[in-house]
Amino acid sequence: MKDRPLKPALSKKSWIFVLLTVLPILTMEQLIEHFARQSTLEQERIGILNSLAILRTRLEGLINSHLLLVHGLTAVISARPEIEQDEFTRIAHGLVNERHALRNIVGAPDLVVSLVYPLAGNEAVLGLDYRTHPVQGPTARRAMQTGHSVLAGPVPLVQGGIGIIIREPVFIGSRQSGEKPRSWGLVSAVIDIVELYRESGILDAESNLRLALRGRDGTGAAGEVFFGDPRIFDNDPILRDIAVPGGVWQVAAIPKSGWGRPTATLWAIRLIGLLAALAAGLMVALLVRGNEALHRQNQTLDRTSRLAKVAGWEVDAATLKVSWSSELARIFDLEPGQGETGIDLDAGLSAFEGDMRATLEQALREALEEARPYDLELEMTTARGARKWLHTIGIPVCEGGRVIRIEGAHQDITSRKLAEIEAQRLNAELEERVAARTAELAAINKELETFSYSVSHDLKAPLRGIDGYSRLLLEDHQDRLDEEGRLFLNNVRQGVAQMNELIEDLLAYSRIERRGMYGATLDLAQQVRQALAEHDEALKARHGVVRLALDEGLSVQADPDGLAIVLRNLLDNALKFSRPDQPSEIDIDAEVMEQSIILTIRDHGIGFDMQFHDRIFEIFQRLQRAEDYPGTGVGLAMVRKAMQRMGGRVWAESAPGAGAAFHLELPRC
């Protein structure tokens, strides 16, 4: 008996039917994945827009704050055109010391550098002639020609290193009315480019983004790339302009690992699409046994479409009849089943109005006549009057060289679109508020700079005169003065010294208000030892005893200069208020908390009543007479202000005659 050949499990027609069932499902999966990928990209771009808005605000704020310093110096030079190196050093000393990113300042009368601060390490720049220098000359001459500040760089510096330079022309007012101001020369401030990157946060931002800056010398998009990988500008980046004196920089950003990283949602959609296709093929193969499995697959596909808010549709090119899936009826607020058997194209377009309808009609016409696909975002009105946004894709299907139908999908993107519009509105509002706040802070800083200069110069000048003349009277005319007259002059000189001390403390308090504080990881024991070393002579004079009980390796997050000010004033306080007839005793220890460290400085002096606890931290508030315990009443106010600026707090415990303990709480690293 001959073996009979096995019949194939499925006939040729069945395989064709399986393929015709599976292919549209795979196409739908690709459309759903496309929409999900687009949504991911939009979220990435919105996040980068927010990051760049903050970065731009910080960079512009830092550069403008240094520009204000230069404005103040040029104002002084305009009033004193014959300024010498000593006076230039005295004025520039405060500017450079108080701005960590400011490296040095130079003055160039007649465009030749002759004034430099600090001089040490910058001797090479003396004699630099901007009129002939090939690198720094062009921007210097542009500042003089325009009469406005310009930014140069980043450029190689004559004294070594790389920096950006703010150039400010200086003009001297005419002594006769009607004459134009004459040119004095140029003031240039060199900003350390690495410190500027650090303070602005651009180095921190690189942990999540790939960044690049271009526009050397403020030339914007046409300028040279000076930070980051130039290829970032060719990778569809988010771009923002940064205003600098005399021009702009342009910053570009993309995600650290590139656009459109696969997400869990995308992998789930791919898996669902693949599983749906496999399930559809299996159900068709078993169709002779029933269509229950096929029905379940359709339900799964419908749930997937509803989850992604994606509806399929198609237009017959011959009849211009439109049919769609049940999800589209839900998106358009139609009755269940309405339109699924086909309606006229014109009726299908009735939900779109004005420019939106014209755009869609043009896209459909080009798809039917030229087989051109389209991808649009359109606003529409549902059957119930609701306004929605759709992301619509149309793909022409051709046979024999002509379009026979258009297949496509609508996705409801109303939530994302409204969020995008709201984000754009909030970004615009944020930029306006940041600009207004920046201008406000600039005005306040300018007023504070003017006040500080006035205090340090205009108020101290007459005090120097009073002190000098009283000293001359005591030295040259002492024999003509009786004991009472000498007492009066000594009291005058003592008052001048106290006034000078008060002015210096006021300036120190003002600098704490204005200076930028930044958190650094500091070894607490090392910081305390440095402060004690500064008080070594005073401790020896008082026969002082310091008991230090600090574990090594305790680290806090604080500003180095701010913490030094706090420790210096508290040690001064402990020595000042010691018992006059006993050696000074100071105990220093620390308590480690979960998120902070509490440092305690305890003396055994005269103490104070706790009802005056808050008063001692207020400026100019004293509990003892100045004749008994000298001071200005500013020290503890500076301690509280510095602790607040560093994100910590200070408080005291005491009783009359029982000494005082000052507690400092600082963030723990």
Side-chain angles (χ1 to χ4, degrees):
M1 183 176 180
K2 295 183 179 179
D3 293 336
R4 289 179 295 177
L6 295 174
K7 294 184 179 180
L10 292 176
S11 66
K12 183 177 180 181
K13 289 184 178 181
S14 297
W15 279 114
I16 293 174
F17 192 71
V18 169
L19 291 175
L20 290 176
T21 303
V22 170
L23 288 176
I25 295 173
L26 293 176
T27 302
M28 179 63 72
E29 179 272 327
Q30 292 174 352
L31 289 172
I32 294 172
E33 180 179 340
H34 172 79
F35 285 125
R37 189 181 296 276
Q38 288 297 110
S39 178
T40 299
L41 287 173
E42 289 298 327
Q43 293 299 322
E44 286 180 339
R45 297 183 77 87
I46 290 173
I48 292 177
L49 278 170
N50 292 333
S51 298
L52 288 189
I54 296 172
L55 184 61
R56 178 178 67 180
T57 300
R58 288 178 177 174
L59 276 172
E60 291 180 350
L62 286 169
I63 292 174
N64 287 333
S65 66
H66 290 93
L67 180 61
L68 288 174
L69 296 179
V70 179
H71 284 337
L73 183 57
T74 57
V76 174
I77 295 176
S78 296
R80 300 175 185 155
E82 303 302 327
I83 187 171
E84 298 292 340
Q85 177 66 42
D86 289 345
E87 186 173 4
F88 185 84
T89 297
R90 183 179 61 80
I91 297 172
H93 172 73
L95 305 182
V96 173
N97 285 347
E98 293 304 318
R99 295 297 187 273
H100 295 291
L102 198 59
R103 177 172 171 176
N104 59 273
I105 300 178
V106 303
D110 298 324
L111 296 184
V112 178
V113 175
S114 62
L115 304 171
V116 182
Y117 181 82
L119 185 58
N122 296 298
E123 295 87 348
V125 78
L126 287 172
L128 186 147
D129 191 338
Y130 289 124
R131 296 169 299 183
T132 58
H133 197 276
V135 177
Q136 300 194 27
T139 55
R141 293 192 292 272
R142 178 155 62 94
M144 297 304 301
Q145 291 167 359
T146 62
H148 298 292
S149 305
V150 300
L151 183 140
V155 296
L157 303 174
V158 175
Q159 62 271 43
I162 303 294
I164 62 172
I165 306 175
I166 298 176
R167 305 200 189 281
E168 175 83 1
V170 182
F171 296 93
I172 304 172
S174 175
R175 297 179 180 177
Q176 298 181 2
S177 61
E179 291 187 3
K180 295 181 178 179
R182 61 187 179 88
S183 170
W184 177 87
L186 196 67
V187 170
S188 298
V190 179
I191 300 175
D192 188 289
I193 190 68
V194 176
E195 188 65 24
L196 180 67
Y197 291 157
R198 188 190 65 79
E199 290 187 16
S200 67
I202 193 171
L203 299 179
D204 295 335
E206 282 198 307
S207 62
N208 298 318
L209 303 174
R210 294 181 63 198
L211 295 168
L213 285 167
R214 66 183 176 189
R216 190 185 299 275
D217 295 337
T219 52
E224 178 184 350
V225 176
F226 59 85
F227 177 89
D229 188 347
R231 292 175 294 181
I232 293 175
F233 285 95
D234 301 324
N235 198 11
D236 189 24
I238 301 295
L239 300 174
R240 279 294 179 268
D241 287 342
I242 299 172
V244 298
V248 295
W249 289 347
Q250 190 176 72
V251 61
I254 62 175
K256 189 76 172 181
S257 56
W259 294 111
R261 310 186 293 275
T263 63
T265 302
L266 288 176
W267 287 114
I269 290 173
R270 291 174 181 174
L271 181 59
I272 290 173
L274 180 59
L275 292 175
L278 292 175
L282 180 60
M283 285 186 285
V284 170
L286 300 175
L287 187 60
V288 288
R289 300 179 184 179
N291 62 0
E292 182 179 352
L294 179 60
H295 178 67
R296 288 198 300 270
Q297 186 272 334
N298 287 334
Q299 288 181 326
T300 300
L301 183 60
D302 184 64
R303 285 195 299 271
T304 303
S305 298
R306 183 179 300 184
L307 177 65
K309 295 184 178 181
V310 176
W313 55 266
E314 67 176 37
V315 176
D316 187 278
T319 63
L320 294 184
K321 292 288 186 180
V322 185
S323 58
W324 52 63
S325 66
S326 58
E327 178 61 22
L328 191 141
R330 285 190 288 268
I331 293 175
F332 278 62
D333 291 336
L334 300 174
E335 295 297 327
Q338 183 179 348
E340 293 183 12
T341 58
I343 63 172
D344 291 336
L345 179 59
D346 187 65
L349 296 175
S350 61
F352 301 91
E353 302 171 351
D355 292 341
M356 297 294 175
R357 175 161 180 162
T359 300
L360 183 54
E361 287 178 340
Q362 177 68 20
L364 287 168
R365 187 180 307 111
E366 292 176 352
L368 291 168
E369 297 175 357
E370 304 174 19
R372 181 181 299 175
Y374 64 83
D375 186 333
L376 302 171
E377 290 186 358
L378 302 172
E379 190 177 17
M380 50 84 71
T381 304
T382 71
R384 298 176 185 173
R387 303 289 292 179
K388 291 185 178 181
W389 280 88
L390 296 182
H391 185 185
T392 179
I393 291 178
I395 302 174
V397 178
C398 300
E399 284 186 7
R402 63 185 183 86
V403 177
I404 61 170
R405 66 180 180 275
I406 302 174
E407 295 178 349
H410 289 326
Q411 183 187 29
D412 184 353
I413 60 169
T414 304
S415 298
R416 192 260 293 173
K417 196 68 176 180
L418 293 179
E420 180 182 319
I421 293 172
E422 179 65 11
Q424 291 173 351
R425 184 190 68 79
L426 290 175
N427 280 337
E429 180 181 337
L430 177 62
E431 290 185 3
E432 291 178 1
R433 291 172 61 187
V434 168
R437 184 59 177 163
T438 300
E440 180 183 345
L441 290 175
I444 292 173
N445 283 333
K446 186 174 182 181
E447 291 178 1
L448 287 174
E449 293 291 345
T450 303
F451 169 77
S452 298
Y453 177 79
S454 175
V455 168
S456 63
H457 185 270
D458 296 341
L459 292 183
K460 293 178 71 174
L463 289 178
R464 287 194 295 269
I466 294 171
D467 183 64
Y469 283 122
S470 60
R471 179 174 54 79
L472 290 175
L473 282 172
L474 286 172
E475 292 177 355
D476 299 342
H477 303 281
Q478 187 173 11
D479 55 343
R480 303 182 189 180
L481 298 172
D482 57 14
E483 183 177 353
E484 185 178 29
R486 290 191 294 272
L487 176 62
F488 289 163
L489 284 176
N490 282 322
N491 288 341
V492 168
R493 296 197 67 199
Q494 184 178 359
V496 168
Q498 290 176 347
M499 191 64 181
N500 266 319
E501 184 181 357
L502 178 59
I503 290 173
E504 290 298 332
D505 284 350
L506 279 173
L507 288 173
Y509 186 82
S510 173
R511 282 193 291 268
I512 291 178
E513 285 278 11
R514 292 180 290 113
R515 72 185 299 271
M517 294 273 186
Y518 71 94
T521 300
L522 302 178
D523 186 321
L524 186 58
Q526 181 181 358
Q527 297 296 313
V528 172
R529 284 194 292 268
Q530 289 177 356
L532 288 172
E534 295 177 5
H535 292 77
D536 186 61
E537 293 185 5
L539 286 167
K540 290 179 179 177
R542 297 297 304 268
H543 303 289
V545 176
V546 178
R547 289 180 284 271
L548 186 62
L550 290 181
D551 294 335
E552 295 296 330
L554 293 181
S555 297
V556 295
Q557 192 77 11
D559 178 77
D561 293 337
L563 184 56
I565 290 172
V566 170
L567 295 175
R568 186 183 307 121
N569 278 281
L570 290 182
L571 290 174
D572 287 343
N573 214 57
L575 290 171
K576 182 192 304 181
F577 294 106
S578 298
R579 298 178 186 275
D581 56 343
Q582 298 179 7
S584 299
E585 294 185 50
I586 302 174
D587 295 298
I588 303 176
D589 55 40
E591 181 180 2
V592 179
M593 311 298 287
E594 184 177 353
Q595 296 182 341
S596 63
I597 293 178
I598 298 178
L599 177 70
T600 300
I601 299 177
R602 183 179 290 102
D603 63 57
H604 298 267
I606 63 173
F608 63 88
D609 193 325
M610 283 296 289
Q611 66 175 315
F612 303 114
H613 176 273
D614 292 333
R615 177 180 167 186
I616 65 173
F617 291 104
E618 296 178 2
I619 193 167
F620 301 136
Q621 296 297 314
R622 298 174 50 85
L623 302 184
Q624 286 80 27
R625 298 191 315 157
E627 294 84 352
D628 299 331
Y629 295 92
T632 61
V634 179
L636 289 180
M638 286 196 291
V639 169
R640 181 169 67 174
K641 180 61 65 176
M643 290 298 294
Q644 289 173 346
R645 296 294 305 280
M646 292 188 293
R649 65 187 182 105
V650 59
W651 71 96
E653 295 177 339
S654 182
F662 287 86
H663 306 285
L664 306 173
E665 184 174 15
L666 291 163
R668 179 182 175 187
C669 294

